[in-house]
Amino acid sequence: MVKLVGKNKILSAVFISGRGSNLKSIYNYSIKKNSKICVELVISSKSDVLGVKFARKYNIKTKIINYKNKVKAEARIIKLLKKNNIQLICLAGFMKVLSKNFVKSFKNKIINIHPSLLPKYKGLNTHERAIKNRDRFSGCTVHYVNQNLDSGKIILKQKVKLYKSDTPEQLAKRILKVENKLYPRAINKVISNF
């Protein structure tokens, strides 16, 4: 059983590598009166990205992790997570695959959002693959992270209609809007199981 800490909130870390669009939606959700999480820490694998600027603007503790040596990088992250009493990890466009040992250390405490209707199109280039296969729908999925890529138990997913004229960029834009709404809902669902 996880105790609610601080102002009755579960301390969370958001891992990013880019513009931080889902970080923004998670943060905006976290500051709502009825939210049960607090974004305590942002971990980024890149320093010069919009997500880092956003985190710093809102005074969220932010750490840039050099990934040249994955073992050292993960050891540093684990130390930071423990030091900050992190109870939930949200991967939001984090372009690094976590090791089996890392995932084991935080079993059922790591969630991720993926831009396809899993189990379809694990990994990269999801929009190109959906268009190439002439799918009628694509979408996004929030799932628990386990030891296999994009294979953990599904928490929530939502469909997005594909149009014949869609480019990967157009589809990505539409799916991202849905992701921004779906992720907070999924976090809420996860927390109710804590």
Side-chain angles (χ1 to χ4, degrees):
M1 185 77 176
V2 173
K3 287 180 190 164
L4 294 174
V5 289
K7 297 173 186 165
N8 291 338
K9 301 231 176 187
I10 286 168
L11 298 182
S12 310
V14 182
F15 287 26
I16 64 166
S17 295
R19 69 196 144 190
S21 146
N22 278 309
L23 164 63
K24 286 178 198 172
S25 73
I26 293 167
Y27 175 76
N28 289 335
Y29 159 74
S30 78
I31 58 176
K32 286 184 176 174
K33 200 176 171 184
N34 63 346
S35 163
K36 293 189 181 87
I37 70 157
C38 167
V39 178
E40 186 70 11
L41 181 66
V42 169
I43 301 274
S44 180
S45 59
K46 293 181 181 175
S47 58
D48 55 347
V49 291
L50 289 174
V52 168
K53 286 178 185 165
F54 174 85
R56 289 188 171 145
K57 181 182 173 187
Y58 289 94
N59 297 316
I60 307 165
K61 216 176 291 172
T62 306
K63 296 288 176 189
I64 313 301
I65 302 293
N66 180 330
Y67 251 84
K68 276 181 187 158
N69 181 322
K70 187 175 178 174
V71 174
K72 282 183 181 172
E74 288 196 345
R76 193 172 163 219
I77 294 171
I78 288 170
K79 207 172 170 183
L80 283 165
L81 295 171
K82 289 186 172 166
K83 187 182 168 189
N84 289 280
N85 301 312
I86 299 301
Q87 298 161 293
L88 177 69
I89 298 166
C90 303
L91 306 183
F94 188 61
M95 301 309 287
K96 301 288 176 188
V97 176
L98 298 169
S99 71
K100 288 180 180 181
N101 284 338
F102 188 99
V103 172
K104 260 188 204 168
S105 304
F106 295 93
K107 198 178 176 201
N108 295 328
K109 300 287 180 263
I110 311 172
I111 61 175
N112 180 46
I113 191 152
H114 183 75
S116 79
L117 294 171
L118 289 174
K120 256 188 166 182
Y121 311 130
K122 296 171 184 178
L124 301 173
N125 306 317
T126 56
H127 308 308
E128 290 86 343
R129 287 150 74 194
I131 289 167
K132 190 182 172 191
N133 287 335
R134 298 188 177 146
D135 290 350
R136 286 181 55 229
F137 293 97
S138 187
C140 52
T141 308
V142 182
H143 64 96
Y144 285 101
V145 173
N146 67 9
Q147 293 167 16
N148 301 310
L149 184 68
D150 299 327
S151 299
K153 186 181 170 197
I154 290 167
I155 301 159
L156 282 178
K157 58 180 170 180
Q158 193 164 331
K159 286 180 180 177
V160 172
K161 190 169 170 38
L162 238 83
Y163 299 104
K164 283 178 183 170
S165 60
D166 266 337
T167 64
E169 293 74 25
Q170 288 168 328
L171 180 58
K173 216 179 218 180
R174 284 207 315 284
I175 288 177
L176 190 62
K177 282 183 182 170
V178 175
E179 283 183 34
N180 294 163
K181 290 177 183 161
L182 190 70
Y183 215 156
R185 281 176 47 215
I187 290 169
N188 215 19
K189 191 175 176 187
V190 165
I191 284 169
S192 67
N193 296 325
F194 267 41

